[in-house]
Every structure is written in C-alpha cells, then in structure tokens.
Amino acid sequence: MAEMMETTKSKKTTMKIALLILNIILLAIGNCAGPLIMRLYFLHGGKRIWFSSWLETAGCPVILIPITVSYLQRRRSGTTTDHESSTSSQPSNNDDNKLILMRPPVFFASAIIGILTGLDNYLYAYGVARLPVSTSSLIIASQLAFTAAFAFLLVKQKLTSYSLNAVFLLTLGAVVLGLHTNGDRPDNESARQYLVGFLMTIGAAVLYGFVLPLMELTYKRARQEITYALVLEIQMVMCLFATLVCTVGMVVNKDFQAIGKEARAYTLGEGKYYAVVVASALIWQCFFLGAIGVIYCGSSLLSAIIIAVLLPVTEILAVIFYKEKFQAEKGVSLALSLWGFASYFYGEIKNKKKMKKREQLPETEMPIPNP
C-alpha cells in the first residue's frame, strides 16, 4: 500500500513538472513575441490603443478546445469510476461529470481579476505605443519587485536569500537596459505624450505586480480542489471580463468603425494587417495561459521571475527583427538575468533537498526548534 502511494505521488510530481515546463514554454512564446507583434502593429500605421489592448485577451475562445478535451477525459474516466464504484459500493466523484467545475466564489474572484487585467492591458498598450522598446521594457521589468512585495503581503511568500538575490539581479539587469534611454523621446511625440506613456507603463507594472499574487491568493482561498482543468476555466473567465472592459473602451473610442479604414492604410498591406491582428490575439493568449499555469505549478513570484528573465531575450529578438542596435548594456543585462534565474532555481532545488531530508529523518532525530 505504501509503495502504491509513493508511486502515485511520484507520478503526480512528474506530471506537475511536465506541466510546469509546458507553461514556461507558453509564457516564453507570449512574453517574447507579444511585445514584438504589438510593436509591429504600431510601427506600420496602427493607432488604436483600445483595439490593441483588446487583442491581448480576445483570443480566449481557443481555450475552449483544451477545456472540451479535459471535460471529455473526465467523462471517460468518470464512467470507468462509476462502474468500479458500483461493483465495490464506493461513492464516485460527481465533479468529474460536470461540464463546469468552477464554483461561484472562484468565478467572482476571476471576474474581478479579469477587470483589473483589462485595465492593465490598456496601460501596457499605451506605453508600447508611446515609448521606445528599451524604455518600456525597463519599466515593465520593475513589476518583478512589485510582485515580490505583493506576494509577501498577500500570500506570505517566503523570500529566501536566493529569491531576493534573483530579484536584485533581474532588476539590476533591467536598470542596465535603461542606461541609453536619455533623450530617447521620438521626434513625432510631444513631451506631454511621452510623460503620459511613461506613467501609464509604470501603472501597468504596478497593477500586474498586484494581479499575479492575487491570482495565487485565489487558488489558496478557493474552497474546491484546484486542478489544471479549473485553471483553464479561470483563465477563460478572466479573459472574457478583460475583453469586456476593452470592448467598452473600443465602443466609446469608436475603434470598431476605424478598423477597416486602418487596415486599408496599413503600410504592410490590408491582408498583413489582419494577419498581425490574429497573430497578436493568439500569441497573447499563450502569455496569459502560461502565466496562470506557472502560478498553478509554482508561484506568482516564479511567474514574475520568468517574465523578467525573458526581457533581454525580447531585446535580442528586437535587434534581429527590427534591426535595433545591440549595445554592450544588453549583453550585460542578459548575463545578469540568466544569473538571477539560475540563483532562484538553485535556491529552490536546495530548499527541496532540505525538506526531503527532513521528511526522511525519524522523529527521534528531528531537530528541536529553538524556543
């Protein structure tokens, strides 16, 4: 019996690691390609900020595919369980047969987070439209520090010396990227527009630094088992409400009427305009799904650290695709970010080994805590 429990626990751990890797890949795709595709929209004639922010979550219907697959798998396994329980007189889990797993408290929490996400999307899109890549990236990277602070306050995240070192190094890497931001205001923008874009991007960093731990708090306070199928439903609700917020903004700003005219005037061509729009919606969906998945498998701080470590990767991709200059500062930032990333994971591995060692100690050999 003990061996079976150990085997089951080992399988669950392996599955969670595999799921974590998958979500890190999704987060990497969205985090690196999202700003680039959004920048492509603005560089070639796109001007609708509410529309651009709307695209960040409007691709959420694609989540219905994995949700449907998950439901069919639950139905199949539930049928098997019902058959086994009928022969063994054991009760089965009725949740497996439900189309929607989410209960009202989780729904309302997800809706509130979705509204905040919609506002954050607008703040971020405004910054990308107004600021150079290096400046906006520098400011957005500061959300790591805000995430660490809010995670400490909301979910009592333990900040070890390794995680603090990672936060310091990744923030320092972002600061290094900003060394060449003096006098980087575009010629076609006024000082007021530049300042508003700067403040909007700071607001986006603070707000998303709050949203990530709030999502983790929702997992912890939910009065039901948090499975990945439920995580997908939470993502769907969040994106729906975020899209609703941006839809209201588009209606007020008359963005829907302007899309056709903007597509015809797009310098890359009307067909490529719509290709950029569709690609933007799908890529940003990878980002949000990856971020929420990493929180589920790890923590909000881990999600923020991965976002920060990918910052210089985005800079390198901007050099490749947009022919931006690769200064020495970007190389230093990349090295600092990788160092911080390695520091965090080294601390996590060391902590897990210490916990495993404590679990294996007999009760008589357990260290006595200090009074």
Side-chain angles (χ1 to χ4, degrees):
M1 187 67 178
E3 290 181 2
M4 286 180 65
M5 289 179 65
E6 189 66 29
T7 303
T8 304
K9 187 178 179 181
S10 178
K11 285 182 179 179
K12 285 184 178 180
T13 303
T14 304
M15 284 294 293
K16 200 157 190 177
I17 291 173
L19 196 58
L20 175 61
I21 293 171
L22 173 62
N23 281 283
I24 288 175
I25 292 171
L26 288 173
L27 181 56
I29 293 170
N31 193 71
C32 294
L36 294 176
I37 197 76
M38 182 180 284
R39 190 65 178 165
L40 185 65
Y41 166 78
F42 287 114
L43 283 175
H44 295 280
K47 297 178 181 178
R48 318 305 295 190
I49 296 175
W50 273 114
F51 178 48
S52 185
S53 60
W54 182 83
L55 290 173
E56 292 184 56
T57 52
C60 61
V62 299
I63 304 176
L64 291 173
I65 298 172
I67 286 177
T68 303
V69 172
S70 174
Y71 170 68
L72 293 175
Q73 286 181 340
R74 291 200 310 272
R75 287 279 297 179
R76 194 179 299 115
S77 62
T79 303
T80 305
T81 305
D82 288 341
H83 175 72
E84 291 176 353
S85 62
S86 64
T87 57
S88 61
S89 301
Q90 293 294 327
S92 61
N93 185 6
N94 292 328
D95 283 348
D96 290 337
N97 297 322
K98 289 182 178 179
L99 178 61
I100 300 173
L101 297 173
M102 185 182 297
R103 294 175 186 170
V106 177
F107 173 82
F108 289 118
S110 302
I112 292 170
I113 294 172
I115 292 170
L116 294 176
T117 301
L119 296 174
D120 183 73
N121 289 348
Y122 177 77
L123 296 175
Y124 177 73
Y126 196 102
V128 172
R130 300 296 183 191
L131 303 179
V133 174
S134 58
T135 306
S136 60
S137 297
L138 164 66
I139 301 168
I140 287 298
S142 66
Q143 61 92 20
L144 174 61
F146 295 119
T147 302
F150 285 122
F152 177 76
L153 294 172
L154 294 178
V155 296
K156 310 302 179 186
Q157 173 74 47
K158 291 182 180 179
L159 299 176
T160 65
S161 58
Y162 295 101
S163 59
L164 286 173
N165 184 53
V167 170
F168 172 75
L169 289 170
L170 288 165
T171 305
L172 181 61
V175 171
V176 170
L177 280 178
L179 293 178
H180 275 276
T181 58
N182 292 328
D184 63 351
R185 176 164 58 88
D187 296 331
N188 60 341
E189 287 184 12
S190 65
R192 182 181 177 279
Q193 287 176 320
Y194 182 88
L195 178 61
V196 172
F198 194 91
L199 294 175
M200 287 284 205
T201 312
I202 291 176
V206 175
L207 188 53
Y208 202 64
F210 176 67
V211 164
L212 289 176
L214 192 60
M215 191 69 258
E216 186 176 356
L217 182 65
T218 301
Y219 290 163
K220 290 181 180 293
R221 295 289 179 86
R223 296 179 179 179
Q224 63 180 114
E225 183 185 1
I226 301 296
T227 62
Y228 194 65
L230 180 59
V231 169
L232 291 172
E233 292 181 13
I234 291 171
Q235 169 72 0
M236 187 72 186
V237 172
M238 284 172 51
C239 287
L240 282 174
F241 276 86
T243 305
L244 180 62
V245 169
C246 295
T247 300
V248 173
M250 287 183 68
V251 171
V252 173
N253 202 45
K254 298 182 179 179
D255 281 7
F256 285 108
Q257 297 92 317
I259 291 174
K261 184 180 178 181
E262 189 175 74
R264 289 189 293 272
Y266 199 62
T267 57
L268 293 179
E270 188 174 355
K272 289 185 179 178
Y273 174 88
Y274 289 111
V276 168
V277 165
V278 173
S280 182
L282 294 176
I283 288 170
W284 279 116
Q285 208 48 230
C286 289
F287 170 81
F288 285 108
L289 191 56
I292 198 173
V294 170
I295 295 172
Y296 166 70
C297 298
S299 66
S300 56
L301 182 59
L302 174 59
S303 187
I305 284 176
I306 293 172
I307 291 170
V309 80
L310 291 169
L311 167 64
V313 178
T314 306
E315 294 282 344
I316 292 171
L317 291 174
V319 170
I320 296 171
F321 292 108
Y322 297 146
K323 309 301 180 184
E324 295 185 3
K325 293 180 180 179
F326 187 81
Q327 298 98 340
E329 287 78 10
K330 292 182 181 179
V332 173
S333 175
L334 177 60
L336 288 170
S337 297
L338 292 174
W339 183 8
F341 193 61
S343 173
Y344 177 82
F345 273 99
Y346 177 76
E348 287 296 298
I349 292 169
K350 194 171 182 180
N351 188 47
K352 285 185 185 299
K353 284 183 177 179
K354 189 184 292 184
M355 290 177 64
K356 193 173 182 180
K357 195 173 181 180
R358 284 181 179 177
E359 289 175 359
Q360 292 174 346
L361 283 174
E363 290 186 8
T364 54
E365 296 183 20
M366 288 290 287
I368 301 172
N370 293 325

